[in-house]
Structure formats: structure tokens, C-alpha cells
Amino acid sequence: MPEIAMPEIAMPGTAMPANATSDHLTRGHATRRSHVKPALALSLALLATPLLSACGGESSAADDKTVTVYSADGLKGENGDGWYDRAFADFEKQTGIKVKYVEGGSGEVVQRAVREKSNPQADVLVTLPPFIQQADTKGLLQKYAPKGADQVAAADKAADGTWTALVNNYFGFVYNKKELKKAPATWNELLTAGYKNKLQYSTPGVAGDGTAVLIKAMHDFGGKDAALDYLKKLQANNVGPSASTGKLAPKVDKGELLVANGDVQMNYAQSKTMPNLGIWFPAGPDGKHTTFALPYAAGLVTKAPHGANGKKLLDFLLDRQAQQQVSEIGGGFSARQDVKATDANAVALTRLMSGVEVFQPDWKDIETNLPSYVEAWKSATGS
């Protein structure tokens, strides 16, 4: 695992421009059918044809200045002050291209792209491992190495050039600093009665950070069976499933929860407006506090309707200027090895990671066996 490279920062964040659009993934939409007379149906079909072309592999003239991003949550600020907010605003100002933003859980954004594979709507897909590898395997990504990708470590990009890390990040947990005098030290502490209905983690197989809970437990307890045995016990204190990890931190800050899972970048950024939020890394039976890299990785969608604009956005996000804003604005770690940080956030993040052992998951194994791991987790926990 490469050493943590801290980015260099210089600029404050600004809000996303008012004319940039944002959406959130929703599920369970009902399909309504209507009976239309043949002549009217034909007329409607003819009228609809140009719209379908504009949504698919070809774009209308009105859409030439747009780019659509499907992204896992965490990089857009709670108050319009995140890394995405600043980067998208700067990108539109520089290019005139408006970013259409759709946010969801790491697995959800991939699932949506799969459903739309025959008629792609997204140009850029951003998600966490192992879902970025999953997207690649499903043929959702085309080869494109953004400018600056040569400065990204080999472990943080696809060997075939289909995706590359934009923001480096690490898995972690959060706790309420007001209610707890100190962070829990071990996994086993979470099994005690004090955490009954005060603990929650996002759903493995749906959320990237939720999947990370399972990955870290398997590492810390020495294998799948031991990890599932622990998570089965933990279920007695667990509030229940959550498709999005980002929604858990506010509950911890308010004291509705004492502990939840998360990741360093997202939670550190949230802590700026959530004063009760603390970040910690549980230790396994060997007493070692561990974590692993969980980067936000991006790829150009296969047959992207605005592929040229998608390439421009990827180039922009991996450019030195945008990467120098990752730490101070986004609370994360630059994906570029040649960007070093000395700002206050970088110093605090280095201190936070001190003494934490970083291990390298077997992503090929996880990608191959994730469905069976998730099913085993469901069986063990009754989820």
C-alpha cells in the first residue's frame, strides 16, 4: 500500500452555481400505463423520437454544453461548500459546460447505470471500490486516462485505463464526542448494552462504506466466518439498514446514534459543521487499529451522450489546481502523488491517521465474491 500523500491547498470553497442542477437517486417508482387511440399514439411517438435521441448516444444542440455526473455521496458539501461545489463552479466558469449532478450510494449509482446501459444518461461515473471495479466488469466504462493520471499510484487506477482515483480516502467510523468521553477502542466494545439502538452502519452491497464494514471485519477477525459471527452478534444493537452512509453522521452529531460507519474524507468535512463528530478506527482481537484506502474513483461512461465534455471534466478534476483544493475544501487526500499539502486540514488529517495500520484488500477477490459475501451477511444478520 503506498504511503499517504497529503495535498497542497490554497483556495477557499464557493457554492455550486445556481444554474447547475442536482438530483438524488430514488427507487420504487410505479409505472403507469394508459390506453391511447392509434392515431394519437402514432403522433405522440413521432413527437417523442427527437427526445429519445437527445437522451441517448446523441445530444441535441441545447445539451451540447452539459455533462452528467453520477456520483457516490461525500464530495458535495452539506451547505454547498464541498470540493465538488467549488470544482463544478470553476469548471463551468472556465468551459461554459454545466454539470448535472446525480447522487446516491456507491452501489446505487452503478445499478442505475446498469439499468441505463442500452441508453446511457451519465457521462462520468464516480464511486468507491469495489463498485468501480464492478462497473468496469459490467462494461459501463470506456478507456480514458485523464491528463495527470500518470501521477496517480498504480494501486489507485485501473491497469487498462478505464478508471482512476480522483480523491484518496480511508474507511473509518464516527462517534458522538459529547455523549462519549472517548472513542470506542475495539469492535467488541460495540457489543455492550450501552450501544443498544444507538449504533448503525450502512448496507453492504448497496453503500461503499457499508461494504467496507464487511471488508474490514473480515480482515480484522481473520476471515469471513469469524467476521459474520461478530456481525451477527452486533445486530442486536444495530438500528437497521441504511442505503446512504452520508445520512448517518448527522444522526451521530445530534446524539440519535452514538456510533456509525463512514469514511475519513466525508466525515472530516462534515465535522466542520457537526461539532460532536469524532473519527475513530476499531481494533480487532490483535489490538491493532486498521483501515484501508477507499478512494473516490471516476471513469468515462461507455457511449456517454456527452463524452467529449466528460473527458474535459475528468481532466479538470485531476488537474493540479483542483487537486490542490482536495484537502482544504474537501477534507480528503489528493489522488496525485506530486501534490503535497501543508494546510491546516492536511496537518490534522496526518495526525488522525497516525498509528493506524493501512492494509491492502484483495479487490479482485472482493469483486468476484461480493455477491456471495453480501448474501452470507444477510443470512447471518437476518437483514
Side-chain angles (χ1 to χ4, degrees):
M1 183 71 200
E3 295 183 358
I4 301 167
M6 304 304 298
E8 177 184 338
I9 308 300
M11 303 181 185
T14 58
M16 195 172 181
N19 58 346
T21 57
S22 178
D23 188 17
H24 292 270
L25 296 182
T26 57
R27 293 177 291 178
H29 294 295
T31 301
R32 294 180 295 178
R33 296 182 179 180
S34 60
H35 298 282
V36 185
K37 292 182 179 180
L40 179 57
L42 177 60
S43 299
L44 291 174
L46 291 173
L47 288 171
T49 301
L51 295 176
L52 292 173
S53 297
C55 292
E58 300 177 6
S59 60
S60 68
D63 284 339
D64 285 346
K65 284 295 185 178
T66 64
V67 60
T68 299
V69 177
Y70 284 7
S71 178
D73 54 349
L75 293 177
K76 195 174 187 300
E78 298 284 336
N79 301 302
D81 55 357
W83 183 65
Y84 269 163
D85 300 286
R86 176 59 183 266
F88 292 166
D90 289 348
F91 177 73
E92 181 173 356
K93 182 178 180 181
Q94 177 176 307
T95 65
I97 298 170
K98 181 172 66 174
V99 178
K100 294 182 177 180
Y101 178 70
V102 179
E103 180 179 281
S106 302
E108 285 182 293
V109 291
V110 174
Q111 290 166 10
R112 178 164 177 168
V114 168
R115 291 194 299 269
E116 299 170 350
K117 188 175 181 181
S118 62
N119 184 30
Q121 305 299 300
D123 302 299
V124 173
L125 178 66
V126 183
T127 190
L128 308 180
F131 298 103
I132 192 67
Q133 291 93 338
Q134 187 181 83
D136 191 7
T137 300
K138 292 180 180 297
L140 299 179
L141 306 176
Q142 59 178 292
K143 293 182 180 180
Y144 180 68
K147 296 175 182 177
D150 59 315
Q151 295 296 332
V152 176
D156 296 327
K157 60 186 176 184
D160 62 357
T162 52
W163 59 267
T164 183
L166 291 180
V167 174
N168 275 340
N169 192 17
Y170 298 87
F171 175 66
F173 277 74
V174 289
Y175 73 103
N176 183 293
K177 296 190 295 183
K178 183 178 179 181
E179 299 294 331
L180 300 176
K181 293 182 179 180
K182 61 178 182 179
T186 68
W187 284 102
N188 283 336
E189 286 186 44
L190 302 181
L191 299 177
T192 59
Y195 293 98
K196 180 73 173 179
N197 295 324
K198 287 288 187 177
L199 175 150
Q200 190 174 18
Y201 62 92
S202 51
T203 307
V206 175
D209 291 326
T211 305
V213 172
L214 185 55
I215 294 170
K216 178 168 159 59
M218 288 170 60
H219 172 271
D220 289 359
F221 288 99
K224 182 188 73 172
D225 292 343
L228 293 177
D229 182 61
Y230 169 81
L231 293 173
K232 180 178 181 180
K233 297 174 184 176
L234 185 66
Q235 197 67 10
N237 288 345
N238 188 18
V239 171
S242 173
S244 173
T245 312
K247 296 178 181 179
L248 301 182
K251 294 181 180 181
V252 174
D253 181 63
K254 294 173 184 176
E256 295 175 22
L257 299 173
L258 292 178
V259 168
N261 67 312
D263 60 69
V264 173
Q265 176 279 324
M266 177 174 65
N267 295 145
Y268 185 81
Q270 289 172 319
S271 70
K272 297 297 183 179
T273 56
M274 300 179 191
N276 298 322
L277 213 59
I279 301 172
W280 67 291
F281 307 90
D286 61 1
K288 294 181 180 179
H289 295 273
T290 66
T291 188
F292 61 96
L294 206 59
Y296 291 91
L300 186 67
V301 174
T302 302
K303 297 181 180 179
H306 308 99
N309 294 347
K311 291 178 180 179
K312 290 178 182 178
L313 180 61
L314 287 170
D315 289 347
F316 185 89
L317 294 176
L318 204 58
D319 183 75
R320 281 188 61 90
Q321 180 175 338
Q323 288 291 304
Q324 287 171 342
Q325 298 169 352
V326 167
S327 179
E328 185 173 334
I329 295 176
F333 308 82
S334 172
R336 292 181 59 138
Q337 295 176 307
D338 61 340
V339 174
K340 310 298 180 183
T342 57
D343 62 273
N345 282 349
V347 172
L349 288 166
T350 299
R351 188 183 305 118
L352 176 68
M353 298 295 294
S354 178
V356 181
E357 181 181 294
V358 179
F359 66 90
Q360 176 67 44
D362 185 344
W363 290 117
K364 185 175 182 180
D365 169 76
I366 294 167
E367 179 198 348
T368 301
N369 296 302
L370 181 60
S372 65
Y373 291 157
V374 171
E375 287 304 312
W377 169 82
K378 289 179 179 179
S379 178
T381 60
S383 299

